[in-house]
Amino acid sequence: MRKYALMGLLLVAYTGYAKSEALSNRKDSTVRKGVTVYTTAENTKLRLSATATLSFAPMKQPLETEVCIFVDPAKSFQTLTGIGGALTDASAEVWAKLPKEKQQELLKAYYDPVNGIGYTLARTNIQSCDFSSGSYSYVKENDSLLKTFSIEHDQQYRIPFIKAVIGAAGGKIPLYVSPWSPPAWMKDNNDMLHGGKLLAKYYQSWANFYVKFIKAYEAQGIPVWGLTVQNEPMAVQKWESCNYTAEEERDFIKRYLGPTLQKQGMAAKKLIAWDHNRDQVYQRASTILEDPAAAKYVWGIGYHWYETWTGSAMMFDNVRRVAETFPGKNLVFTEGCVESFKYNRINEWFLGERYGLSLVNDFNNGTVAWTDWNILLDENGGPNHVGNFCFAPVHADTKTGELIYTNAYYYLGHFSKFIRPGAKRVIASSNRTDLQTTAFINKDGKLAVVVLNLSDKEIPYKLWIKGEAAAANSLPHSIATLIVD
């Protein structure tokens, strides 16, 4: 009797397990109906092109000889804030020179989520930067009370441009603002250019300056989402620059900028420290964030990709170290572009691949937001008042009025178009170094998997998710986004 009872219990247990497994499989198959692949590839006409529709089939343990991208949607990490680019004086001036139809084409190309790449984040400069036609300030000489503060300069090009961008983005876009230099008379070198330091007696006046700028822009109908303390505070540049040690930046935040924002009702503005390269991002972050009096004002740590000027590769591990050590703070890629513009290189593939490499690895190391530099430059890589000409994803030939889309535009689009604000990063792992990957689940439940191939090889692979796989193919020097329904 006991024997039959035991068999009955085993049968019930097995039946329950089988039903559970069937329900689990049914649930998985409902989630993963199929895969749509979008591809951009060198030596082809593929540019964010729908290239394949894949379906899943059961696949148990993959062999070591089988190339796979493994995705685990159940393991989630940071939430995406947005992806976008900088709305500089240079971009605004070039846009103003375009014919009306080309102006609208550019706005649609960047900000339309269906017919463009759907940018969802923006940055602009406080006072002049290198990508301005000249140096300028919003206040007159020695006006420490800021009574003469005026953004009249920006009314000609930049404010109309930013308003047009807001309209194209559906009526709102998170915008953060960054200073390159205080007015010359506030600095120890009496020069907006060539580094120098903010004089201690003007710390409060400079903190008030940020508030004045934000209020002035918001009075123009341009909401400001956040701000950085100082663009590249370790760089002595031939253009607008100002230098702070980590301790000086920390103390300016906790004694002046943070309290001033709070007193002025701007505690909700996202304050971002560092805003310089990955090489020293941990040293800077730790110095500021280990001080509770400064850390309480800081929303995130910003960084750039120009550590390569030392001969180093891009140092993604340093970003991860900040994410691991300070999980309550946010990492933001605040600027990157390919430098040393040459018109005859505008169609070269390395432009986009640098973006792809950075985006994949920055997101995998904890970044919540990613901002390119100028969204538009002219046929000379400017305007730039110190000759620091650079590449942008889109260039305009101001003589013909034509727009030139570099492959960097499409590489960026593989992220910004398909990974939307509110998406959560999930585990994506490659078993071959030739394929790099990251993945996010959007708020609508769709999974976006980006696969980057920097090699000369065409690589067949399997997109493997929990015992099911879809057969895919990665072209040489390509980027693909796989949307899993």
Side-chain angles (χ1 to χ4, degrees):
M1 195 72 178
R2 280 197 303 270
K3 177 182 176 182
Y4 291 115
L6 181 59
M7 287 177 67
L9 287 169
L10 287 170
L11 180 61
V12 169
Y14 174 77
T15 304
Y17 169 77
K19 284 182 179 177
S20 174
E21 187 176 49
L23 285 169
S24 175
N25 287 340
R26 195 153 59 241
K27 181 182 176 185
D28 285 349
S29 63
T30 300
V31 173
R32 293 191 287 278
K33 293 177 181 176
V35 184
T36 306
V37 183
Y38 298 87
T39 305
T40 296
E42 187 179 26
N43 299 323
T44 72
K45 293 183 179 179
L46 301 176
R47 300 293 183 270
L48 277 170
S49 307
T51 50
T53 302
L54 315 176
S55 41
F56 284 93
M59 182 184 184
K60 297 301 182 183
Q61 177 62 57
L63 301 175
E64 291 174 293
T65 54
E66 294 176 296
V67 182
C68 291
I69 298 293
F70 302 106
V71 177
D72 187 350
K75 305 297 188 297
S76 63
F77 301 90
Q78 79 270 24
T79 301
L80 182 76
T81 297
I83 300 170
L87 311 176
T88 58
D89 287 319
S91 294
E93 289 176 40
V94 175
W95 185 76
K97 293 176 183 177
L98 291 171
K100 293 293 183 187
E101 66 274 14
K102 291 297 181 179
Q103 290 181 343
Q104 293 307 308
E105 179 187 323
L106 183 88
L107 294 174
K108 186 175 181 180
Y110 270 118
Y111 298 99
D112 189 316
V114 177
N115 299 304
I117 61 172
Y119 267 7
T120 53
L121 187 65
R123 180 192 189 207
T124 198
N125 46 294
I126 299 175
Q127 302 207 115
S128 57
C129 65
D130 49 332
F131 280 91
S132 303
S133 289
S135 292
Y136 61 87
S137 179
Y138 298 131
V139 295
K140 292 183 179 178
E141 190 84 6
N142 298 321
D143 177 17
S144 60
L145 297 178
L146 311 183
K147 291 181 178 180
T148 59
F149 188 96
S150 170
I151 55 168
E152 184 179 355
H153 171 277
D154 299 358
Q155 296 282 6
Q156 184 177 7
Y157 296 119
R158 188 148 47 108
I159 287 173
F161 180 51
I162 294 174
K163 286 182 177 180
V165 164
I166 292 171
K172 61 180 181 179
I173 191 167
L175 172 73
Y176 66 99
V177 299
S178 303
W180 267 244
S181 175
W185 51 269
M186 285 191 184
K187 297 168 66 182
D188 62 3
N189 64 344
N190 197 33
D191 186 359
M192 286 184 69
L193 318 184
H194 309 109
K197 286 183 177 290
L198 176 66
L199 292 166
K201 65 180 178 179
Y202 292 123
Y203 271 28
Q204 186 58 58
S205 184
W206 182 231
N208 296 340
F209 201 102
Y210 297 76
V211 171
K212 284 273 193 183
F213 179 83
I214 291 168
K215 286 183 175 179
Y217 261 59
E218 292 191 334
Q220 292 291 319
I222 300 174
V224 173
W225 168 83
L227 65 158
T228 74
V229 180
Q230 169 64 45
N231 178 75
E232 299 186 347
M234 288 294 290
V236 178
Q237 304 285 25
K238 62 182 178 180
W239 53 86
E240 288 81 348
S241 42
C242 184
N243 303 134
Y244 297 80
T245 65
E247 291 78 11
E248 287 167 343
E249 184 178 7
R250 177 198 65 199
D251 294 347
F252 177 61
I253 290 168
K254 74 178 181 181
R255 295 173 185 166
Y256 297 95
L257 185 55
T260 299
L261 291 170
Q262 199 163 57
K263 287 174 189 172
Q264 293 295 323
M266 295 185 182
K269 304 298 184 191
K270 308 299 189 283
L271 182 60
I272 300 167
W274 186 221
D275 198 8
H276 204 165
N277 296 330
R278 297 186 191 94
D279 51 1
Q280 294 186 196
V281 66
Y282 183 83
Q283 181 266 340
R284 199 73 170 210
S286 61
T287 302
I288 294 169
L289 299 179
E290 286 170 1
D291 184 333
K296 69 180 181 180
Y297 297 114
V298 176
W299 178 81
I301 300 295
Y303 65 93
H304 300 181
W305 74 17
Y306 308 113
E307 66 268 21
T308 53
W309 76 272
T310 64
S312 168
M314 291 195 274
M315 305 182 75
F316 303 112
D317 282 353
N318 289 344
V319 177
R320 175 173 51 82
R321 290 183 179 105
V322 175
E324 290 171 342
T325 309
F326 305 102
K329 299 301 180 182
N330 299 279
L331 282 156
V332 182
F333 182 91
T334 47
E335 185 185 317
C337 72
V338 178
E339 302 161 281
S340 303
F341 179 81
K342 299 286 188 298
Y343 188 84
N344 62 1
R345 304 194 75 187
I346 207 165
N347 293 314
E348 291 192 18
W349 208 252
F350 79 96
L351 296 173
E353 289 194 327
R354 182 163 181 182
Y355 280 85
L357 179 66
S358 184
L359 281 150
V360 164
N361 287 281
D362 288 330
F363 286 134
N364 283 344
N365 285 290
T367 294
V368 305
W370 208 97
T371 328
D372 183 33
W373 189 210
N374 306 276
I375 70 165
L376 176 69
L377 293 173
D378 65 19
E379 66 274 17
N380 300 308
N384 185 294
H385 71 91
V386 290
N388 180 36
F389 301 118
C390 295
F391 287 92
V394 183
H395 286 265
D397 187 328
T398 56
K399 299 181 183 67
T400 66
E402 291 303 309
L403 293 173
I404 304 160
Y405 295 83
T406 76
N407 68 316
Y409 167 82
Y410 300 101
Y411 270 72
L412 279 156
H414 275 275
F415 299 85
S416 61
K417 185 177 179 71
F418 301 112
I419 303 169
R420 308 299 293 165
K424 283 194 172 292
R425 184 175 67 85
V426 298
I427 284 290
S429 172
S430 172
N431 66 352
R432 296 293 187 276
T433 56
D434 284 335
L435 295 183
Q436 299 189 42
T437 183
T438 192
F440 284 77
I441 290 183
N442 284 294
K443 290 197 291 185
D444 63 4
K446 290 186 178 181
L447 175 66
V449 183
V450 179
V451 178
L452 177 68
N453 183 351
L454 302 177
S455 80
D456 298 327
K457 298 178 285 188
E458 184 171 334
I459 306 173
Y461 67 96
K462 300 289 181 62
L463 175 63
W464 192 96
I465 306 176
K466 299 294 186 182
E468 294 183 325
N473 192 50
S474 178
L475 296 174
H477 293 283
S478 71
I479 186 169
T481 305
L482 293 76
I483 303 300
V484 182
D485 289 316

